[in-house]
């Protein structure tokens, strides 16, 4: 163990250590080590030093030995570091191969930089650089669904054609229903937004039932015709189609884009179309709801009203949904429909081949 009487300071050393101790701009850890050496030089016991510096015996022993061996130079903190490593093409290829084709042996679903670095005995920063260079993000997950409709191209082209080149003097509506909207009421009061703090909702809630929201998005004007219903049956769908016809000029040609829900293809719907020859129903390909523009509007009302809404009853939920639709229709927005890269569409063949 280091003994205190082994330290005898020179005048210049005492002056330098005193300056470090009293410095207002220096590092606190350097001032603490300088004060330790001054206390040892003054003959203080280790017990006294522990009390004054609030330190341990190992701290006194370590820095006392370093000063005795190297004088002032020994008081600088050191980091053992690690041997420098070079990212060679072979090592980069190995990191990529493990990142893409292998899984962690501990049962995890994906790699982290540190977990892969430990597996390959490299720096985690090296793994991060390789991932950044090749745009790899193992922590990210995206969902997809591939359409198995054999007539996908034909149906998609028909719907996109209605968006880009609608028939003259005709109205095009994207129609769908948002089902099972819950009227949730919080048991505890909502704590409002404040500087430095987000709005907070209580975890517990009351359920007051559910509603379905029918919406028809006018692709030319962006206006939305909405209606709530307790259920989503073919009868409700026919009633909503009747509302769409009633809101258009008599005899005007109407094109309705809808998904493949069975309620949209029932006999009452066929009877309605037979009685209203100016109404044309177009179905999106299977598993292709992204082709229906009303889904974009549904995501908007979900964010703006439903997700964080507090509804005291089903009538309250209905009132707030319809109020939002009325306010939205005062400044509606159309969808600028574009498809940038058709080669990236996910198909059943690309899923099998892994492209």
């Amino acid at each position: 163990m280091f003994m205190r009487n082994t330290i005898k300071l020179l005048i210049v050393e005492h002056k330098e250590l005193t300056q470090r101790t009293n410095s207002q701009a220096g590092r606190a850890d350097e001032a603490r080590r300088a004060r330790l050496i001054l206390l040892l030089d003054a003959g203080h016991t280790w017990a006294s030093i522990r009390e004054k510096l609030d330190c341990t015996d190992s701290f006194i022993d370590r820095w006392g030995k370093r000063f005795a061996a190297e004088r002032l130079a020994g008081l600088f903190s050191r980091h053992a570091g690690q041997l420098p490593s070079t990212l060679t093409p072979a090592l980069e290829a190995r990191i990529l191969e493990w990142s893409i084709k292998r899984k962690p042996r501990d049962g995890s679903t994906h790699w982290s930089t540190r977990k892969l670095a430990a597996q390959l005995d490299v720096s985690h920063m090296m793994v991060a650089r390789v991932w950044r260079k090749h745009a790899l993000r193992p922590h990210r997950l995206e969902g997809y669904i591939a359409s198995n409709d054999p007539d996908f191209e034909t149906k998609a082209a028909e719907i996109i054609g209605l968006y880009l080149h609608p028939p003259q003097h005709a109205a095009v509506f994207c129609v769908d229903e948002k089902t099972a909207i819950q009227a949730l009421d919080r048991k505890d009061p909502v704590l409002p937004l404040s500087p430095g703090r987000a709005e907070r909702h209580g975890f517990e809630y009351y359920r007051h039932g559910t509603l379905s929201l029918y919406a028809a998005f006018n692709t030319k004007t962006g206006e939305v015709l909405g209606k709530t219903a307790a259920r989503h049956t073919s009868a409700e769908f026919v009633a909503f189609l009747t509302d769409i016809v009633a809101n258009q000029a008599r005899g005007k040609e109407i094109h309705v884009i809808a998904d493949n829900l069975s309620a949209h293809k029932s006999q009452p719907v066929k009877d309605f179309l037979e009685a209203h020859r100016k109404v044309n129903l177009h179905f999106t390909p299977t598993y292709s709801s992204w082709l229906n523009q009303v889904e974009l509007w549904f995501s908007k009302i979900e964010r703006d009203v439903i997700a964080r809404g507090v509804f005291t009853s089903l009538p309250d939920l209905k009132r707030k949904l319809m109020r939002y639709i009325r306010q939205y229709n005062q400044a509606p927005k159309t969808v600028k429909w574009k498809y940038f890269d058709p080669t990236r569409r996910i198909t059943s063949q690309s899923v099998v081949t892994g492209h």
Side-chain angles (χ1 to χ4, degrees):
M1 180 178 289
F2 170 77
M3 304 300 294
R4 66 177 182 271
N5 58 7
T6 59
I7 287 185
K8 295 297 181 183
L9 293 177
L10 301 176
I11 296 176
V12 66
E13 291 175 335
H14 193 282
K15 182 178 179 180
E16 173 64 22
L17 292 173
T18 302
Q19 184 177 358
R20 291 188 190 183
T21 302
N22 299 328
S23 175
Q24 298 295 319
R27 291 171 56 95
D29 55 347
E30 292 181 358
R32 189 166 181 244
R33 293 192 289 268
R35 190 180 177 198
L36 166 66
I37 302 304
L38 289 173
L39 291 173
L40 288 171
D41 178 64
H44 286 266
T45 64
W46 282 32
S48 173
I49 294 174
R50 285 199 305 269
E51 183 179 353
K52 292 178 180 295
L53 298 184
D54 188 23
C55 63
T56 62
D57 286 346
S58 62
F59 177 84
I60 301 172
D61 184 58
R62 179 171 66 254
W63 292 106
K65 285 180 178 178
R66 288 192 184 183
F67 183 83
E70 304 176 41
R71 311 307 291 180
L72 291 174
L75 296 183
F76 288 101
S77 59
R78 302 169 185 172
H79 187 273
Q82 63 183 28
L83 294 175
S85 56
T86 302
L87 181 62
T88 63
L91 181 55
E92 182 174 350
R94 187 170 179 233
I95 293 174
L96 287 174
E97 194 268 341
W98 275 80
S99 301
I100 297 173
K101 297 183 179 180
R102 306 197 188 191
K103 297 290 185 182
R105 293 174 180 174
D106 63 357
S108 302
T109 58
H110 60 281
W111 291 106
S112 67
T113 55
R114 284 177 169 79
K115 192 172 291 185
L116 183 56
Q119 176 68 45
L120 301 181
D121 195 23
V122 297
S123 165
H124 74 278
M125 292 304 299
M126 180 181 292
V127 175
R129 287 195 298 272
V130 173
W131 285 1
R132 185 164 55 249
K133 177 181 177 181
H134 295 275
L136 289 177
R137 300 178 180 87
H139 63 288
R140 295 287 299 275
L141 178 66
E142 295 182 357
Y144 78 92
I145 188 166
S147 175
N148 59 359
D149 196 321
D151 298 322
F152 177 89
E153 305 293 345
T154 302
K155 293 180 180 178
E158 177 182 347
I159 291 171
I160 295 174
L162 288 173
Y163 293 154
L164 300 180
H165 306 290
Q168 194 172 15
H169 308 304
V172 179
F173 289 93
C174 294
V175 174
D176 201 2
E177 52 268 284
K178 187 172 182 63
T179 61
I181 304 174
Q182 297 190 75
L184 299 181
D185 187 10
R186 301 292 167 179
K187 289 186 177 181
D188 300 310
V190 174
L191 301 182
L193 174 73
S194 60
R197 179 167 289 178
E199 179 181 303
R200 288 168 292 169
H201 288 205
F203 182 76
E204 295 185 298
Y205 51 82
Y206 296 104
R207 296 176 185 267
H208 295 297
T210 61
L211 282 180
S212 292
L213 173 64
Y214 285 83
F217 182 86
N218 189 319
T219 61
K220 182 178 181 180
T221 65
E223 292 180 324
V224 172
L225 175 64
K227 175 184 177 181
T228 61
R231 303 169 61 192
H232 55 286
T233 63
S234 59
E236 294 289 352
F237 182 64
V238 170
F240 187 59
L241 291 178
T242 303
D243 289 343
I244 295 175
V245 173
N247 277 272
Q248 299 299 308
R250 184 178 181 84
K252 188 172 185 177
E253 184 179 355
I254 299 173
H255 295 267
V256 175
I257 298 170
D259 61 22
N260 293 272
L261 186 68
S262 59
H264 298 167
K265 298 182 177 182
S266 63
Q267 189 59 46
V269 175
K270 295 177 182 178
D271 294 340
F272 173 85
L273 296 176
E274 184 67 26
H276 299 78
R277 295 300 183 91
K278 291 289 186 178
V279 179
N280 301 279
L281 198 54
H282 307 267
F283 294 106
T284 61
T286 57
Y287 307 125
S288 302
S289 60
W290 55 273
L291 277 170
N292 196 332
Q293 290 185 4
V294 75
E295 297 292 347
L296 301 175
W297 186 84
F298 276 149
S299 67
K300 180 176 176 60
I301 196 173
E302 172 71 27
R303 291 192 306 269
D304 293 349
V305 180
I306 300 172
R308 290 166 52 177
V310 177
F311 310 105
T312 58
S313 63
L314 283 179
D316 182 46
L317 171 60
K318 176 180 179 179
R319 182 171 59 253
K320 290 177 178 177
L321 291 175
M322 299 310 296
R323 181 180 63 187
Y324 179 83
I325 292 175
R326 289 193 298 271
Q327 292 294 322
Y328 168 82
N329 284 336
Q330 293 182 11
K333 293 183 179 180
T334 58
V335 175
K336 297 186 182 299
W337 190 258
K338 294 182 181 180
Y339 195 74
F340 293 98
D341 188 359
T343 64
R344 298 193 65 178
R345 182 174 69 84
I346 297 175
T347 64
S348 56
Q349 289 77 19
S350 65
V351 172
V352 172
T353 59
H355 291 92

